Amino acid sequence: MPGDGHAIVVHLDEMLRARDMTLTELSSRADITIANLSVLKNDRARAIRFSTLTALCAVLDCQPGDLISYAPGQD
Amino acid sequence: MATSSTSRAVRAARAITIGLLVLSIGFTALVLVSVATGLFRQGDSLLYGDSITVPMQVSADDLGQLPDGISADDWLDVDVTIQDPTTSQMLLRSAQDLGPAFVIVWALWLLAAVLNAAAHGDPFGRDNARRFRSLAVLLIVGGFALNVLNYAVLNAFYTQVPENPSIDLAAGPFTPLPAGMLMGGLVAFALAAVFADGARLREDVEGMV
């Protein structure tokens, strides 16, 4: 559930499940700390750097729109 | 990130604040014990004993002719000693000490908590912003309340000091708000706004992935 005045939902959990990938594996391949991935996965992120998005899209082989979506009414 | 000199300064400020807090709590406890002994001994309290001194004002007209070139204000501060005070007089005098003591203990408590957070490298939190807001309200409202209390106590004493036909005494001027506490309160309000912004910025940075 998004919070802090925004309505952006991160689908990292679903993406990992669909690819049968663990957070640790993604952390290692995308060179992003588990702490930061955890923030993303648990919808506690307030902003995502383009470099983070690029690394995630490269490893998960997806588009940014697959990772995040706008869900009005859930903020 | 805090430099080592900043950390030393914060640690020193925290140590001084906590020292002052301990002294203030000790003084407050002493006044409370004094009140208890005063109640038990019908006015003869631990702190003030068998005489209390009350600040009053005396009319300059009662002082007689001053030499040329020397002038006095209309009303001058004097101390009036009351021998063998009653229990109510002892309570009034104790209230003059207890009121400021409670405000000082509360203010130092808030300040110590702020400095404690700063010493742990976490000054820009919502808690510190809230503490500064509380400190601001305490200084402004507390300063006004203390002056009202003090003036009420002085007026109560005014009706009880021994009459002296040759001298015109007064309970003293009423100043609604001490300038120092007003300024301190406004500074605390400004710091509360700064810390609230700092807390928001820190949360933004922490939420950046």
Side-chain angles (χ1 to χ4, degrees), chain A residues 36 39 45-49 52, chain B residues 126 200 203-204 207-209:
Chain A
N36 272 352
V39 168
R46 287 174 168 237
I48 307 178
R49 291 190 185 89
T52 304
Chain B
R126 289 186 186 276
R200 187 182 53 75
E203 285 167 9
D204 278 353
M208 167 77 83
V209 175

Side-chain angles (χ1 to χ4, degrees), chain B residues 5 28-29 40-41 43 50 52 63 79 85-87 89 100 113-114 122 131-132 137 140 165 178 193 196 200 202 206:
Chain B
S5 62
T28 307
F40 184 70
R41 300 193 302 205
D50 58 2
I52 58 174
L63 296 179
D79 287 329
T86 62
T87 301
Q89 286 170 335
V114 167
D122 186 26
R131 285 174 188 131
F132 272 119
V137 171
I140 293 174
R200 187 182 53 75
R202 198 194 71 171
E206 282 178 349

Side-chain angles (χ1 to χ4, degrees), chain A:
Chain A
M1 173 81 88
D4 292 326
H6 71 79
I8 300 298
V9 182
V10 180
H11 306 291
L12 188 59
D13 219 10
E14 295 92 314
M15 300 290 282
L16 287 172
R17 213 176 302 122
R19 286 156 181 76
D20 199 21
M21 194 183 285
T22 64
L23 209 62
T24 311
E25 187 182 349
L26 178 62
S27 164
S28 155
R29 289 177 59 184
D31 197 22
I32 300 170
T33 64
I34 291 182
N36 272 352
L37 287 178
S38 205
V39 168
L40 256 184
K41 184 169 162 275
N42 296 318
D43 273 322
R44 284 188 282 111
R46 287 174 168 237
I48 307 178
R49 291 190 185 89
F50 283 166
S51 57
T52 304
L53 210 47
T54 301
L56 288 175
C57 288
V59 172
L60 296 171
D61 189 26
C62 65
Q63 292 297 313
D66 300 325
L67 266 173
I68 56 176
S69 64
Y70 170 56
Q74 288 192 31
D75 56 340

Side-chain angles (χ1 to χ4, degrees), chain B residues 18-126:
Chain B
I18 289 174
L20 289 172
L21 178 62
V22 169
L23 286 176
S24 305
I25 290 173
F27 175 72
T28 307
L30 181 64
V31 177
L32 289 173
V33 170
S34 170
V35 168
T37 55
L39 288 172
F40 184 70
R41 300 193 302 205
Q42 282 84 44
D44 184 3
S45 65
L46 192 68
L47 271 181
Y48 315 116
D50 58 2
S51 72
I52 58 174
T53 305
V54 182
M56 292 267 155
Q57 289 197 310
V58 65
S59 170
D61 296 339
D62 294 330
L63 296 179
Q65 187 67 39
L66 290 171
D68 282 347
I70 299 177
S71 60
D73 292 338
D74 289 345
W75 292 92
L76 301 166
D77 293 337
V78 291
D79 287 329
V80 177
T81 302
I82 299 177
Q83 294 294 339
D84 299 319
T86 62
T87 301
S88 66
Q89 286 170 335
M90 180 275 299
L91 287 173
L92 286 171
R93 181 63 188 85
S94 301
Q96 280 188 307
D97 285 338
L98 273 179
F102 279 128
V103 170
I104 288 169
V105 165
W106 194 353
L108 287 172
W109 181 274
L110 290 169
L111 205 54
V114 167
L115 290 169
N116 199 40
H120 285 93
D122 186 26
F124 289 109
R126 289 186 186 276

